[in-house]
Amino acid sequence: FGRDDEALARVQAMHGTAIRAMRVDVADRMALVEAIDDAAAAFGGLDGLVNNAGVCFASALEAVDPDEVATQVAVNFLAPVFECQAVIPHLRKRGGGRILNVTSASARHMDEFAHIGIYSSTKAALERYTAELREELKGDNIGVTALSPGGAETMFGSGWRPEMAQKAFA
């Protein structure tokens, strides 16, 4: 899944039928379910899921934009919950599999970035959800892992308002 049609087309061209590149709005629950079911049908089942979508808007908590809060909760927490719900029946059909939820070190460490309290809170919620899901799925041979990277040089923060980026990265 991705948002950049050109990048998806390049990846699809590189890998041919070994992959299925799909543009999906992860905040749209029904679109997620349809995409997961489509992928399962195309490949004869699923072996795993990597929840790596994430969005962050830097802001002081007292001034956070309500729409930005809703977007971060929808993409960083609700989408992984709905994706897991959609993929679990497919994994059970295969006799097991793996779910990997990408969280963030900012959920536990205050020194990662400033002004990303909503983002960090959604990632903390995802870590707790992952731990609960791991316990629930033990008997189904479905492993559930949280990957919690720290700071890395990526496009993270590239769309932030300049004054917030300066404060966050300081």
Side-chain angles (χ1 to χ4, degrees):
F1 307 148
R3 293 179 287 182
D4 182 332
D5 289 328
E6 290 178 20
L8 286 171
R10 283 192 306 273
V11 171
Q12 184 72 64
M14 286 173 33
H15 298 284
T17 59
I19 68 163
R20 188 173 188 101
M22 294 181 263
R23 186 172 212 265
V24 178
D25 177 359
V26 297
D28 180 342
R29 181 181 180 277
M30 291 312 301
L32 284 174
V33 171
E34 289 173 14
I36 288 169
D37 289 345
D38 181 55
F43 293 106
L46 298 175
D47 298 314
L49 170 69
V50 176
N51 278 313
N52 189 38
V55 65
C56 178
F57 302 105
S59 177
L61 292 173
E62 68 180 294
V64 68
D65 180 286
D67 291 335
E68 291 179 353
V69 172
T71 298
Q72 290 176 95
V73 170
V75 172
N76 301 346
F77 181 64
L78 295 177
V81 169
F82 298 144
E83 288 166 342
C84 289
Q85 289 176 333
V87 82
I88 289 168
H90 295 289
L91 298 179
R92 282 188 177 128
K93 284 181 190 175
R94 295 284 268 223
R98 170 73 56 189
I99 295 171
L100 175 69
N101 291 325
V102 179
T103 66
S104 172
S106 69
R108 290 174 313 288
H109 304 289
M110 293 298 292
D111 60 350
E112 289 294 317
F113 287 99
H115 299 295
I116 60 168
I118 300 301
Y119 171 83
S120 298
S121 297
T122 62
K123 293 301 188 170
L126 183 57
E127 285 198 1
R128 177 59 190 215
Y129 172 80
T130 301
E132 294 283 341
L133 190 62
R134 180 182 308 121
E135 291 301 313
E136 287 185 20
L137 297 178
K138 275 183 181 177
D140 293 308
N141 196 34
I142 299 172
V144 184
T145 302
L147 174 65
S148 183
E153 189 173 334
T154 66
M155 297 300 292
F156 185 84
S158 63
W160 291 354
R161 294 181 297 276
E163 71 279 4
M164 280 292 105
Q166 184 177 9
K167 289 179 181 179
F169 285 98

